[in-house]
Amino acid sequence: KAVVYKLDRWNPDEKIINLAAEELRKGHLVAFPTETVYGLGANALDEEAVRRIFLAKGRPQDNPLIVHVAAIETAREIAYCDERALRLMDAFWPGPLTLVMRAKDVVPKVTRGGLDTVAVRMPSHPVALALIEASGVPIAAPSANTSGRPSPTDADTVYEDLGDRIEVILDCGPTDVGVESTVIDITEEKAVLLRPGGLPIEALTDFGETVLLPENLSREREINLKKRSPGTRYRHYAPRCKVLLWKAEEDWPKIRGERVGYMGIRRPPVDLGDDAIFFDSLENYARGLFMGLRYLEKRGVEAIIADYPEKRGVGLAIRDRLYRASLAEFDEKP
Ligand code: TXA
Ligand code: MG
């Protein structure tokens, strides 16, 4: 069973950080908080250790991992960083932006899911940074959930999913952002959005970076995209009950004979008591999204009706997660 260490995020106990870093150097798995969600970390340069991540999560081998660094220098050791990459890092790191760049040979194939690119990010959580620094290696870390389940935004959820498969969990309470990082591919002239996330696209466009959104791409480009980011192919973020999207301008979905739960910003036309969760802003919706799905599932609802927010800001990421949670089957169609 995993050992759980509670840490003060602004003043983490150095002994515990060093102990966890030592576990990473030994090739073991350590779950740790980032500003987005909890990550399941392993030495990104150690093939065996990275394989353990895939095993623990039950993750498909072709779904590449994000490599976490605590310094831009380290990013340059594992990826070919051009001037634009460095500008983006300078502006948005540490923070919830992941950059997909051409990989250098030191990054094992398992880490990149067999691709010739690698995804890199520098998280802003002080404990994540301290741990990466102390380990002295780049850290591969997917979200610390069983593959396909909603991502964990607190340590209890990590324990629930992975407690008997990993060595250490660092517990710093709930995370700030609540949805994962924004992933963009910058290997071509125009940046391509692979996954909307905690950093709003508006922040990138305000910075002067044009980002191609999937719906602006031709059908052909879209298929290409799915090949490039294999993680976006599967049903994801899914509780063990149905998820129905309540879109703007749509009537409240009519469901007969099933216990229904709700989460969102708008008030539904029916009283669902404690099976309804309300958020007072898009940011708080993002923060509580994954916990909300797991909470309603535990309460025993058969279907969750989820407010499908506007595309602005972090709303784009919420829509993406809800949409994927709502898919009934694996989406393996081209
Ligand atoms: O906020 C986050 O990004 C969290 C925390 C722990 O940092 N991590 C996370 O990792 O969400 P994961 O493994 O759950 O999601 C990684 C995403 C997947 O959609 C994957 O397909 C994509 O990044 N990805 C990773 N490497 C890639 C690559 N070389 N090319 C294209 N997509 C890549
Ligand atoms: Mg994930």
Side-chain angles (χ1 to χ4, degrees):
K1 285 273 178 189
V3 185
V4 183
Y5 296 100
K6 282 204 186 343
L7 283 175
D8 173 356
R9 87 154 74 184
W10 298 115
N11 190 19
D13 187 332
E14 231 174 276
K15 268 191 257 113
I16 294 172
I17 294 289
N18 286 333
L19 180 152
E22 182 55 31
E23 289 290 327
L24 288 170
R25 277 195 298 269
K26 277 194 253 172
H28 293 167
L29 305 182
V30 174
F32 62 95
T34 79
E35 74 279 26
T36 57
V37 301
Y38 275 72
L40 177 58
N43 178 353
L45 307 181
D46 178 345
E47 268 188 56
E48 273 312 306
V50 171
R51 278 213 183 83
R52 286 202 189 104
I53 290 183
F54 284 91
L55 276 178
K57 281 185 58 101
R59 180 180 178 106
Q61 295 277 346
D62 65 351
N63 191 0
L65 305 176
I66 296 174
V67 179
H68 295 63
V69 300
I72 291 178
E73 255 330 285
T74 317
R76 302 182 73 158
E77 282 163 23
I78 59 176
Y80 293 94
C81 306
D82 58 16
E83 222 172 280
R84 167 174 57 169
L86 295 171
R87 259 193 291 116
L88 288 166
M89 292 172 190
D90 205 44
F92 297 105
W93 282 8
L97 176 67
T98 295
L99 301 172
V100 171
M101 299 170 283
R102 298 253 164 257
K104 292 195 174 169
D105 288 340
V106 285
V107 186
K109 283 258 178 205
V110 262
T111 306
R112 13 181 184 126
L115 301 173
D116 55 8
T117 54
V118 61
V120 188
R121 100 170 181 100
M122 187 193 292
S124 66
H125 197 293
V127 164
L129 288 171
L131 176 68
I132 299 163
E133 213 161 77
S135 74
V137 291
I139 301 298
S143 48
N145 52 285
T146 305
S147 194
R149 297 276 293 152
S151 300
T153 54
D154 71 2
D156 289 349
T157 308
V158 177
Y159 195 85
E160 202 175 281
D161 271 22
L162 303 172
D164 45 16
R165 298 179 187 188
I166 67 179
E167 278 77 24
V168 172
I169 300 174
L170 301 182
D171 179 357
C172 280
T175 58
D176 295 332
V177 179
V179 291
E180 302 89 338
S181 61
T182 301
V183 182
I184 60 172
D185 181 318
I186 52 167
T187 55
E188 279 166 41
E189 198 190 309
K190 288 243 167 71
V192 179
L193 180 70
L194 297 182
R195 178 180 73 183
L199 182 77
I201 294 307
E202 292 90 327
L204 290 165
T205 44
D206 287 352
F207 182 68
E209 189 67 45
T210 315
V211 181
L212 295 180
L213 303 183
E215 60 258 38
N216 295 342
L217 301 171
S218 69
R219 185 81 187 127
E220 204 180 326
R221 241 354 249 281
E222 217 174 284
I223 293 165
N224 234 319
L225 190 72
K226 286 188 176 178
K227 270 195 211 136
R228 274 205 290 184
S229 199
T232 56
R233 276 207 316 260
Y234 309 99
R235 187 184 188 217
H236 252 126
Y237 315 113
R240 296 189 183 88
C241 51
K242 266 184 275 187
V243 175
L244 302 166
L245 309 177
W246 184 30
K247 299 180 177 158
E249 321 291 326
E250 271 183 12
D251 287 339
W252 180 251
K254 284 200 184 61
I255 297 170
R256 257 171 232 283
E258 271 183 321
R259 182 167 158 198
V260 165
Y262 171 77
M263 57 193 294
I265 293 173
R266 287 178 288 164
R267 294 266 153 188
V270 288
D271 181 8
L272 296 169
D274 287 342
D275 288 344
I277 308 170
F278 297 103
F279 301 105
D280 59 5
S281 67
L282 265 185
E283 285 67 32
N284 283 334
Y285 194 177
R287 203 168 281 142
L289 177 70
F290 291 135
M291 280 290 257
L293 292 172
R294 286 188 187 241
Y295 165 85
L296 290 173
E297 168 192 284
K298 278 203 187 107
R299 288 188 61 83
V301 305
E302 289 154 285
I304 297 171
I305 297 176
D307 192 356
Y308 204 54
E310 338 163 36
K311 280 184 184 167
R312 136 186 98 76
V314 79
L316 201 64
I318 299 173
R319 290 165 67 101
D320 171 75
R321 307 305 185 268
L322 287 175
Y323 173 72
R324 291 179 201 290
S326 77
L327 297 174
E329 304 281 337
F330 284 153
D331 177 19
E332 278 285 31
K333 284 170 300 209

